[in-house]
Amino acid sequence: MHNIPQISVIIPLYNEEQNLPLLHKELVAVLKDLNKSYEIIFVDDGSRDNSFETIKGLLREDENIVGLSLSRNFGHQVALLAGIEHSSGETVIMMDADFQHPPGIIEDLYNKYSEGYDIVNTRRIDSKKTGFLKRATSKLYYKLINLLSDVKIEPASSDFRLMNRKAVEAFLRFREKNRFTRGLISWMGFRQTIVEYDASERFSGKSKYTVRKMLGFGMDGITSFSSKPLRVTYYIGFVIVILGLFYALYAIVQHFRGATVPGWTSILVSVLIIGGVQLLSLGIIGEYIARIYNEAKGRPVYFIRETATK
Ligand code: UDP
Ligand code: MG
């Protein structure tokens, strides 16, 4: 058994073979500069390209690499967890494989840790290089999540951060399956700080977060930290019932005054509104139930197909 490294770098990746060799080179340069012992854990999240072969190739040059290959694509958040669970370092640094999290910032993260912080988060300074749509939707999303949920989540935060062992042990006690890491981290407490960095463009390939994955991720963020949507449904239902009562009263009075008209429009409108509210409520309840169901099954969060080490 080798000694405990000072830094474990964790890199979840999905189809990133083009980025890996250069990323590894830059990481090693930064870590050597820092003069710290390290391990680099590449978590291959079921890539369809030759990412894992590339990792094995790198392992031949650098014995501080650990390659984990998940049995299928489980998603970024789960891949992160797999990496963290297999890390042994005094500190853990998690980052993306596409250079959007510049390796050069690792030094700043480590310095903050040396100052005594348990968790060092990062904030992306939004340069024009991040796509307009991504910036706008991300901003809107964080507004919404902070409005709805009980934990505060920094806008423009990402899963690029350092944690010390104490924080990692705490983090590993979360057993939920729909994981929204930055929310969990915020909820944890400990001594946290933020380092800013300038986001660069993806080095190679395109974003692995499809619109569908983004929406799922967004829903996880809201439903795992807030039950307010459930309550909103209740309020809307309540208001509608009161209004409906008045409307019914009015209709009855009109009936006895003999002023009834065919009234197709009003019937249609009320049926549509009530139907709409019901569908909406059911949808929200469904989202939560889906998550309860997911947790209740108690399934393993991921499987590892292959491990590559020296
Ligand atoms: N990723 C992953 N599994 C997935 C999707 C993404 O491990 O199912 C990795 C990806 O390879 C990258 C990181 O998660 O290292 C962030 O993904 P990406 O850069 O595609 O997201 P974006 O920067 O566009 O938000
Ligand atoms: Mg990216």
Side-chain angles (χ1 to χ4, degrees), residues 12-14 16 45 73 75-76 79 96-98 100 134 202 207-209 213:
L13 58 109
Y14 179 61
E16 306 277 11
D45 185 17
N73 179 246
H76 176 206
D96 289 357
D98 59 0
Q100 287 189 306
K134 182 129 195 169
R202 215 170 211 290
S207 176
K208 271 61 186 186
Y209 263 101
K213 276 188 187 168

